[in-house]
Amino acid sequence: MTTTVTGASRASGGVRHRRPRRTPVPFLAQLLIWAGAAGVLGLWWSHTTAVVGPAGWLTGAGRITGLLAGYACAVLLALMARVPLLDHGVGTDRLARWHALGGRCTVSLALAHTLLVIWGYSLTSHTGVVSETSTLVLSCPDLLKGTIGFLLFLATGILSARAARRRMSYETWHYLHFATYLAVFLSFGHQLSDGADFVGDRLAQAAWYALFIGVAALLVWFRFAVPLRRGLRHRMRVVEVRPEAPGVVSVHLTGEHLDELGGEPGQFLRWRFLARGLWWTANPYSLSAPAHPRHLRITVKSAGAHSAALAHLAPGTRVWAEGPYGGFTARRRTAAKVLLLAGGVGITPLRALFETLPGQVTLVHRARRTVDLALRAEIDAIAARRGATVHHVVDEPGGPASPLTAAGLSALVPDLAAHDVYLCGPPGMARAATGALREAGVPARRIHHESFAF
């Protein structure tokens, strides 16, 4: 069943839209990463006079993959350091995808480095692979610690596989990733004491120290010091928990100097509620209304132990928030017309954008049942006030459905290909919507997606 609410048309055509400039941060970040990789290869080249025979080729390849694996560790940690310039300019979703791809590459490089070096050394010393492995691990400086670090990397990579992630909660997955810090720490000494490209080269050693100390400083500052400082300054606490739909609640918060957070519509924060069973983890939830100097609101659907517990928060519960994060904001907009396409509780960031985006904006909110249309009353009020169109689409037995196809979306939104589309919803809905939008002629660069998956 499709219900449409259309406001007066006074606002749509009279607002002048200014096309925002495309941010160069993603390009510059990738350029910097690849330049660093080229520098690492240059380090190997400068220390290699010749490569002779199978043993030389294997050992040389092992050195290259080892250098790249070490460099990739620093890049992985930097991508997840939550540096505002990267997070806002690239986007949390894209950074997470880069991190996931980089993680797979890092584990593969580390595995290749281990196998190639052992094989190459065994050919040089004319010993078996097993015997050479035990000799290297037990006799080379720091290699035993490096081996433990490698095994931790391997375990983290296995647990990060899609099949394994489906079987664990967000909190478990998040804390298991802290093993990566330990793995990097254990492996770092081995790189400098055993790496042929670092032994005796003080400049290369200094550069490697600077790289890892710099990344460590970013992690300590943005992931620990800044949240601690903000928690003490803003003194946030819960004011009210209000039901919005079955299994969906809005948590209203107040605090001091909240305007300093700089939260934009479409962004999220990582919330740590200082209550029993919740204090030990910080989970990401989007702002469901524009930020106010004295008031913030998030709207959350029960999808696990943490989100379900929010419905029982007591007024006065202290809250620490990290962020804001994400690039799912008005700055991504490139066209005069905008479609906001939400699935279920994916309405959360889009509701805030719906209130604040200038120009011609259409909102399509899809849900299974009418009672699942969270925040419907205030969305309709915003539509009437700003002169925008809202389509509430629900699939219930006995009622006509609006399919999530190119034809279905085009029927709801005329001239769909000329729109920027902000898309937020469960993974299955997001994949289907992306395919339908592309089929309808919407360029990929105009489809802005906020993922629910971790």
Side-chain angles (χ1 to χ4, degrees):
M1 181 175 64
T2 304
T3 304
T4 303
V5 177
T6 306
S9 60
R10 54 178 170 78
S12 301
V15 177
R16 186 176 180 181
H17 171 67
R18 179 179 297 176
R19 183 185 295 269
R21 290 181 296 178
R22 302 286 290 184
T23 172
V25 174
F27 170 75
L28 293 176
Q30 290 185 355
L31 181 63
L32 183 61
I33 291 171
W34 287 111
V40 168
L41 292 176
L43 177 64
W44 171 83
W45 182 267
S46 67
H47 288 88
T48 303
T49 56
V51 179
V52 180
W57 282 103
L58 290 170
T59 305
R63 285 169 54 197
I64 291 174
T65 52
L67 285 169
L68 289 175
Y71 170 70
C73 288
V75 172
L76 285 180
L77 296 179
L79 290 177
M80 290 292 103
R82 300 174 188 167
V83 180
L85 177 63
L86 273 179
D87 193 87
H88 299 168
V90 178
T92 305
D93 275 9
R94 189 185 296 182
L95 283 176
R97 289 194 294 271
W98 289 3
H99 179 79
L101 176 61
R104 292 191 289 270
C105 291
T106 303
V107 172
S108 299
L109 287 168
L111 182 60
H113 163 69
T114 303
L115 297 177
L116 289 168
V117 165
I118 291 174
W119 192 3
Y121 278 31
S122 68
L123 290 180
T124 301
S125 59
H126 305 288
T127 59
V129 171
V130 175
S131 174
E132 187 65 30
T133 300
S134 61
T135 299
L136 289 172
V137 171
L138 297 176
S139 63
C140 291
D142 297 315
L143 194 53
L144 181 58
K145 292 192 295 184
T147 301
I148 297 172
F150 165 69
L151 294 176
L152 283 174
F153 269 124
L154 196 60
T156 304
I158 294 171
L159 291 172
S160 296
R162 190 179 301 273
R165 291 204 312 268
R166 291 183 183 140
R167 298 175 181 272
M168 67 180 74
S169 67
Y170 170 83
E171 295 81 11
T172 302
W173 173 84
H174 176 74
Y175 277 99
L176 283 173
H177 267 60
F178 280 112
T180 306
Y181 298 146
L182 179 59
V184 172
F185 175 77
L186 291 172
S187 303
F188 182 76
H190 147 65
Q191 296 173 50
L192 294 178
S193 59
D194 299 321
D197 302 289
F198 292 106
V199 175
D201 190 335
R202 294 190 177 277
L203 182 60
Q205 292 176 10
W208 211 245
Y209 269 112
L211 173 65
F212 278 87
I213 290 174
V215 170
L218 291 176
L219 284 165
V220 170
W221 179 252
F222 288 110
R223 296 202 64 166
F224 298 99
V226 170
L228 177 61
R229 179 173 61 88
R230 287 182 172 175
L232 295 173
R233 175 162 178 76
H234 297 303
R235 303 180 62 83
M236 276 191 277
R237 60 189 182 277
V238 175
V239 175
E240 179 187 9
V241 178
R242 182 180 302 169
E244 301 287 0
V248 179
V249 298
S250 284
V251 181
H252 296 256
L253 307 110
T254 190
E256 306 291 336
H257 315 291
L258 297 184
D259 53 319
E260 295 178 5
L261 287 172
E264 299 180 46
Q267 290 187 313
F268 68 94
L269 293 89
R270 298 180 186 273
W271 304 89
R272 187 183 302 274
F273 297 91
L274 304 186
R276 179 176 295 180
L278 298 176
W279 63 269
W280 59 279
T281 184
N283 281 31
Y285 300 117
S286 298
L287 296 171
S288 61
H292 184 273
R294 292 284 300 173
H295 180 261
L296 297 175
R297 186 184 75 177
I298 58 174
T299 301
V300 180
K301 181 177 181 179
S302 175
H306 188 278
S307 53
L310 300 190
H312 307 290
L313 285 172
T317 300
R318 289 292 302 275
V319 184
W320 284 17
E322 305 171 28
Y325 299 119
F328 193 64
T329 66
R331 286 177 288 177
R332 286 193 179 182
R333 180 177 181 173
T334 60
K337 300 177 181 179
V338 175
L339 167 64
L340 306 176
L341 180 55
V345 79
I347 190 63
T348 302
L350 298 185
R351 181 260 178 250
L353 284 167
F354 187 49
E355 183 175 346
T356 56
L357 276 175
Q360 183 175 332
V361 181
T362 302
L363 172 64
V364 176
H365 185 191
R366 304 180 63 90
R368 294 182 182 275
R369 305 170 299 170
T370 301
V371 294
D372 294 324
L373 292 168
L375 309 175
R376 177 174 181 174
E378 59 187 76
I379 288 170
D380 291 346
I382 294 170
R385 184 168 65 249
R386 66 170 296 164
T389 300
V390 177
H391 299 284
H392 297 292
V393 180
V394 294
D395 298 324
E396 291 184 306
S402 177
L404 192 57
T405 62
L409 290 174
S410 297
L412 292 178
V413 186
D415 197 19
L416 178 58
H419 285 66
D420 259 314
V421 181
Y422 286 74
L423 169 63
C424 188
M429 175 267 182
R431 286 192 296 270
T434 300
L437 291 166
R438 296 289 290 118
E439 186 180 344
V442 181
R445 68 180 182 278
R446 287 187 179 173
I447 302 174
H448 315 300
H449 176 220
E450 180 83 343
S451 174
F452 269 63
F454 65 88

